Amino acid sequence: MRSNTPSMECKVDMAVPSPRILFLHYLLLSCFCFAPGYGGNWIDPDTPEENRKTTTYVEALDGAEFELVMSDEFNVPGRTFKDGEDPKWTALQKNDYTNAALQFYDNDYIYTDDEGNLIVETAAKDTEIIGFDDVNREYTHITKHFKSGMLQSWNKFCFTGGIIETEVLLPGKWNVGGLWPAFWLLGNLGRHTYVGSTDGVWPWSLTECKEEYKLAQLFSGCNNATHFGFKPGVGRGSPEVDIFEVQPGPIKADTGPFKYTWIGEPFLSASYQIAPGKSWNRPGPGFWPGPGQWYEDIKQGWNTSINIGYYGNWNFVEGETGPSKRDYWSDAVSWNHQLQATHFETFHKYRLEWGLPSGKPRNNTMNGYDSGFLNWYVDDKLILSMKGESFYNMTGGTTPTEPMYVLINTALSRNWGFPIPCPDGCDCMKFNCNSKRQDNLCGFPPGFCEMMLNENPKYKMNYVRVYQNKNDEQHKVGCSIPERPTRKYIEGHPYLYKTEDDVSASRLCLILNGHIFHHHIAFINRKNL
């Protein structure tokens, strides 16, 4: 496979020595064999040979073959992902202050089972939190009544362009709202839940200089300085691609909040979150866009419709009064795909194909795909296709050009699948399934607490695989690549990306190649070293 730095792949004798010798072997070699964010041997040896190549589904690419560059089959039981334990992944141990979140991310709720699956478990259990609220910028003492898991490959594994694919069994019940399982990508300059890292960074994709945005976009293309290895005149950011966000529930199309759309619950939302957003003549939430109000030449596939419930955010600086040049719109270019009970009962395949803008004059034979693209598939069927020229022609944005990392999580939020409007006599501000008080229970979706108290829902993932085209020079593996460096900035601003409880950068080197690490550490733990 390709790497953006000289090869760091280890050549390790797989014969297993004594546990203590093995542990020393691990400590000594890990720093030399695996450097976070810079490539390495990311392929899980358990990936079957027949799954190490794939052919693109994009017709304009004329059947190009893509080769495996990263995989995790999750076949080793009992893996955990606490900070510093795994070469690809980190499970958060952290409160989530974003999106009116009701859950605390507990790293004990991410693990592998005995059947070859990654498990993200969600439970109605309390966490007392005394800490700094990243959103309200104040110290708080609160109790959250749900625990769940989030797995990130931030600053470990990132890729730029290619194909990412997974097989998933969704958590909970298809007709009970409240859970928010997701599989998504984010630019490495922003670390989700570490809110300070995303200020003025999320979800910017503007690479050119636009004077009206130079104060709003932290890394504006209008900057000519070369600090932290950034290239002068190249705008940077952390765009977001939601491969799926799933909303279960019983509300059918053409009823309630879905009155004016033919997609109801349960549904999958496939989205590209992008800035700058459209700042004029925007469609209102709940209404279909009029002529010229929204992005054009976006192709929707089977059982898919534009998400008219959410078009994006107005982002502003807390504490400032009146208009500010640091304020900006970000858009959620989002379509919903109808799901069925089977998606919560059996495994289904989800796939994203991502192409970068070529930077060359338009090639008409490519039908716009050379401007970059994002294509979503469910069970190998196209559900949504976007081209980069749709964004560029509207706002100057592009499809992602940043190294993107992978996120896997289940969240809970009163803004996602909870009753709208709030039931009569309920303020929908307290949510505790273990409470006996009606004001703590009245805001939940019907059947949610019964489901949560009966059994902890489990989001199951069979594998993650990433493929790239070896003939496409824009396809890269690494979280800091020459075209889009991130390392120096992150190292220079550790307080934005880590808490005092997180593993330090120096300790991060104590991570070894994936398959060896998983088996050997399990062996070491059994010997109680």
Side-chain angles (χ1 to χ4, degrees):
M1 61 169 289
R2 292 181 312 284
S3 172
N4 295 298
T5 59
S7 174
M8 298 181 185
E9 182 177 348
C10 298
K11 303 299 183 183
V12 180
D13 184 356
M14 291 302 293
V16 180
S18 71
R20 291 186 184 278
I21 295 297
L22 178 61
F23 186 63
L24 291 173
H25 188 69
Y26 157 67
L27 291 177
L28 290 171
L29 289 180
S30 56
C31 286
F32 299 100
C33 297
F34 207 96
Y38 296 95
N41 186 6
W42 297 104
I43 297 174
D44 189 335
D46 285 345
T47 304
E49 285 298 326
E50 61 268 24
N51 298 122
R52 296 193 172 212
K53 293 183 179 180
T54 189
T55 301
T56 178
Y57 298 161
V58 178
E59 291 184 5
L61 299 186
D62 197 25
E65 185 176 75
F66 285 54
E67 296 181 355
L68 190 70
V69 295
M70 189 281 271
S71 61
D72 202 328
E73 305 296 324
F74 305 116
N75 284 347
V76 178
R79 282 173 64 189
T80 56
F81 303 91
K82 294 179 174 65
D83 197 7
E85 285 188 352
D86 194 270
K88 295 185 179 85
W89 308 105
T90 301
L92 295 192
Q93 182 73 16
K94 188 178 184 296
N95 190 27
D96 184 359
Y97 295 100
T98 67
N99 300 317
L102 301 177
Q103 82 290 340
F104 177 86
Y105 285 127
D106 189 316
N107 55 28
D108 286 330
Y109 285 74
I110 298 259
Y111 55 90
T112 55
D113 65 10
D114 294 333
E115 299 176 354
N117 300 310
L118 175 73
I119 302 296
V120 182
E121 189 172 342
T122 306
K125 293 186 178 180
D126 287 355
T127 305
E128 186 177 16
I129 305 163
I130 302 174
F132 190 71
D133 184 327
D134 294 330
V135 173
N136 296 316
R137 314 303 295 174
E138 62 184 9
Y139 284 93
T140 59
H141 183 181
I142 62 173
T143 299
K144 284 200 167 178
H145 303 295
F146 296 93
K147 293 187 177 185
S148 191
M150 168 173 276
L151 203 61
Q152 300 182 351
S153 70
W154 174 80
N155 215 36
K156 291 182 175 180
F157 172 78
C158 306
F159 70 108
T160 308
I163 298 170
I164 183 168
E165 182 180 285
T166 187
E167 278 189 353
V168 163
L169 189 154
L170 294 168
K173 299 179 179 180
W174 69 271
N175 58 352
V176 175
L179 296 179
W180 187 352
F183 180 51
W184 49 303
L185 306 176
L186 197 61
N188 197 57
L189 282 172
R191 190 178 188 191
H192 183 61
T193 79
Y194 294 75
V195 178
S197 72
T198 59
D199 290 344
V201 178
W202 177 89
W204 284 93
S205 76
L206 182 66
T207 59
E208 299 177 351
C209 172
K210 286 206 168 186
E211 287 289 333
E212 64 266 39
Y213 298 125
K214 71 177 183 179
L215 295 181
Q217 184 180 10
L218 182 62
F219 309 120
S220 168
C222 301
N223 296 335
N224 291 317
T226 57
H227 301 312
F228 307 108
F230 291 0
K231 292 186 175 182
V234 178
R236 303 290 304 280
S238 179
E240 175 181 333
V241 180
D242 300 314
I243 303 169
F244 66 70
E245 298 177 281
V246 170
Q247 182 170 313
I251 305 175
K252 302 299 181 185
D254 199 34
T255 62
F258 308 108
K259 175 66 176 176
Y260 300 108
T261 178
W262 58 80
I263 302 297
E265 295 174 332
F267 64 82
L268 169 160
S269 184
S271 308
Y272 183 34
Q273 312 256 8
I274 183 174
K278 194 171 185 294
S279 58
W280 70 99
N281 191 27
R282 296 175 59 88
F287 294 92
W288 286 78
Q293 282 195 310
W294 207 231
Y295 298 87
E296 298 177 350
D297 198 25
I298 293 178
K299 178 182 178 181
Q300 65 189 43
W302 65 295
N303 277 349
T304 304
S305 175
I306 187 172
N307 179 4
I308 64 172
Y310 179 62
Y311 290 109
N313 295 313
W314 173 244
N315 303 273
F316 58 92
V317 179
E318 289 284 350
E320 289 192 354
T321 58
S324 169
K325 290 186 177 181
R326 293 196 291 172
D327 302 342
Y328 63 95
W329 280 101
S330 60
D331 287 340
V333 190
S334 177
W335 264 248
N336 292 340
H337 173 72
Q338 188 69 62
L339 298 179
Q340 308 294 338
T342 178
H343 295 90
F344 297 78
E345 298 166 351
T346 60
F347 283 86
H348 289 261
K349 186 189 296 185
Y350 303 87
R351 175 176 171 125
L352 176 82
E353 299 206 19
W354 161 28
L356 279 72
S358 69
K360 301 175 182 178
R362 193 181 197 276
N363 181 348
N364 290 332
T365 64
M366 291 287 290
N367 195 28
Y369 281 93
D370 54 340
S371 67
F373 63 88
L374 294 165
N375 278 21
W376 286 258
Y377 302 85
V378 175
D379 293 330
D380 300 319
K381 295 181 180 178
L382 179 71
I383 64 167
L384 182 62
S385 178
M386 304 177 183
K387 300 173 186 174
E389 61 188 15
S390 298
F391 310 117
Y392 188 81
N393 293 340
M394 185 70 73
T395 66
T398 68
T399 55
T401 61
E402 295 285 336
M404 307 280 275
Y405 66 98
V406 184
L407 302 96
I408 305 161
N409 69 293
T410 301
L412 298 91
S413 168
R414 63 177 181 265
N415 297 334
W416 187 267
F418 279 54
I420 301 175
C422 190
D424 291 341
C426 184
D427 64 6
C428 290
M429 295 302 293
K430 299 176 182 178
F431 300 91
N432 183 0
C433 284
N434 289 297
S435 175
K436 303 299 183 183
R437 293 175 56 94
Q438 182 60 22
D439 62 339
N440 287 338
L441 299 170
C442 58
F444 284 110
F448 178 77
C449 284
E450 291 87 341
M451 176 183 72
M452 292 299 301
L453 296 177
N454 181 55
E455 183 178 3
N456 294 347
K458 295 178 179 178
Y459 171 175
K460 298 184 178 182
M461 181 171 285
N462 187 17
Y463 62 79
V464 175
R465 297 172 187 152
V466 176
Y467 303 86
Q468 293 185 324
N469 184 348
K470 66 179 182 181
N471 296 317
D472 189 334
E473 61 184 14
Q474 292 183 300
H475 286 191
K476 301 289 175 67
V477 170
C479 294
S480 186
I481 61 176
E483 297 81 1
R484 298 290 187 270
T486 67
R487 179 179 63 87
K488 290 182 179 179
Y489 181 80
I490 292 170
E491 289 178 350
H493 300 79
Y495 56 91
L496 296 178
Y497 295 93
K498 292 181 177 294
T499 68
E500 60 185 12
D501 297 322
D502 290 331
V503 172
S504 68
S506 61
R507 285 180 60 204
L508 278 174
C509 74
L510 298 179
I511 298 171
L512 190 55
N513 176 275
H515 197 259
I516 300 170
F517 176 90
H518 304 152
H519 286 289
H520 286 187
I521 289 302
F523 181 67
I524 290 168
N525 289 340
R526 285 199 297 272
K527 295 295 184 180
N528 297 314
L529 289 182

